[in-house]
Amino acid sequence: MPSPHPHARGEIPERHWPKPEGEVGPPQAASLDELRAQAEVCRRCPLWRDATRTVFGEGPRDAGAVFVGEQPGDQEDLAGKPFVGPAGRVFDQILETAGIERDKVYVTNAVKHFKFEPRGKRRIHSKPNAGEIQACRWWMGQELDLIGPDIVVALGATAAQSLLGKAVPVTKMRGRTFEREDGVRVFVTIHPSFILRIRDSADKEAERERFLDDMKAVKKLMA
Ligand code: URA
């Protein structure tokens, strides 16, 4: 079992907890480090209760591209870093083949706590709901404001929903760039875990190629 969250242990006084949407929250952070520290004690939705920790985004403030996944998985929850588990390995390999250096881009998630169902000793991934996605947009909005990337990449449906504010049919829309009212450009593609779930090896390889093509297109969109 993960150790209880610092809130649950009573180590973080309530006055330091960010307030739910609609109320006055903490002041606008001046840096990603400050924002990360604020997010560590987030209770904007109930997911903090069972997760080990907030898994915040990672990467340089001057990143040309921000990649947004769904939520941390089991390994990310334990490590405190995004995309370090099986989906992260697929992501890393394909980024490298496309000529994108992972440590030069910013990688984050639409939802920053691991949502799961306990099954025996295992923790099974559970999809975040619309309320949880909405509550966590607060953090991603500020990450994007601070970084101001050339392109934001939605990896899968949850990220696309969070970034575009509506449900998006990802397999139909993949490879397309949408410009939001605030000028942020969002490139939509699949989540790398989709490749992991394909059983047929020829189909898996074809999907890897399609994802590689998408990553090459993203590289061109980075200034
Ligand atoms: N899947 C995600 O969407 N994000 C991660 O960080 C890991 C797996």
Side-chain angles (χ1 to χ4, degrees):
M1 277 297 279
S3 64
H5 190 280
H7 288 158
R9 296 199 297 263
E11 289 168 10
I12 296 173
E14 187 161 355
R15 67 195 150 82
H16 293 314
W17 298 4
K19 300 282 185 295
E21 198 111 45
E23 296 175 40
V24 178
Q28 183 85 25
S31 69
L32 288 169
D33 284 345
E34 201 180 312
L35 190 62
R36 169 193 296 270
Q38 290 177 356
E40 270 166 23
V41 292
C42 181
R43 60 159 203 169
R44 299 178 70 81
C45 81
L47 294 183
W48 62 269
R49 290 176 201 276
D50 295 327
T52 309
R53 54 174 61 81
T54 306
V55 178
F56 203 66
E58 227 182 35
R61 182 163 175 176
D62 63 354
V66 170
F67 291 82
V68 182
E70 181 190 77
Q71 60 161 343
D74 183 74
Q75 293 191 27
E76 288 79 13
D77 171 79
L78 297 173
K81 288 168 173 290
F83 281 103
V84 292
R89 285 189 283 280
V90 172
F91 178 57
D92 284 353
Q93 282 166 5
I94 296 177
L95 272 195
E96 197 185 338
T97 312
I100 299 174
E101 291 173 78
R102 171 147 175 185
D103 59 4
K104 299 252 165 62
V105 297
Y106 189 86
V107 180
T108 193
N109 282 300
V111 172
K112 290 173 172 45
H113 282 108
F114 178 36
K115 182 177 181 183
F116 61 92
E117 294 289 335
R119 201 166 301 156
K121 285 190 180 156
R122 298 182 60 210
R123 301 187 297 168
I124 307 298
H125 165 276
S126 167
K127 221 172 160 47
N129 63 35
E132 290 151 356
I133 295 169
Q134 176 59 27
C136 221
R137 289 179 86 202
W138 161 270
W139 300 112
M140 202 172 49
Q142 290 189 73
E143 286 173 295
L144 296 181
D145 283 350
L146 285 166
I147 297 166
D150 304 315
I151 189 73
V152 182
V153 183
L155 299 166
T158 300
Q161 180 173 342
S162 175
L163 285 160
L164 298 171
K166 58 177 184 206
V168 174
V170 166
T171 42
K172 231 159 100 189
M173 299 298 188
R174 71 170 313 160
R176 286 178 54 182
T177 304
F178 297 82
E179 182 152 346
R180 301 196 320 193
E181 275 177 15
D182 61 0
V184 170
R185 291 192 304 160
V186 179
F187 181 96
V188 173
T189 184
I190 56 138
H191 192 283
S193 65
F194 178 61
I195 300 174
L196 284 174
R197 289 196 299 271
I198 300 174
R199 288 181 180 268
D200 179 83
S201 58
D203 290 349
K204 196 191 256 305
E205 196 41 45
E207 191 49 53
R208 281 180 75 91
E209 284 301 316
R210 276 198 286 274
F211 190 58
L212 175 59
D213 288 345
D214 286 349
M215 293 303 105
K216 287 179 179 166
V218 168
K219 185 168 164 63
K220 287 197 186 130
L221 292 165
M222 293 164 64

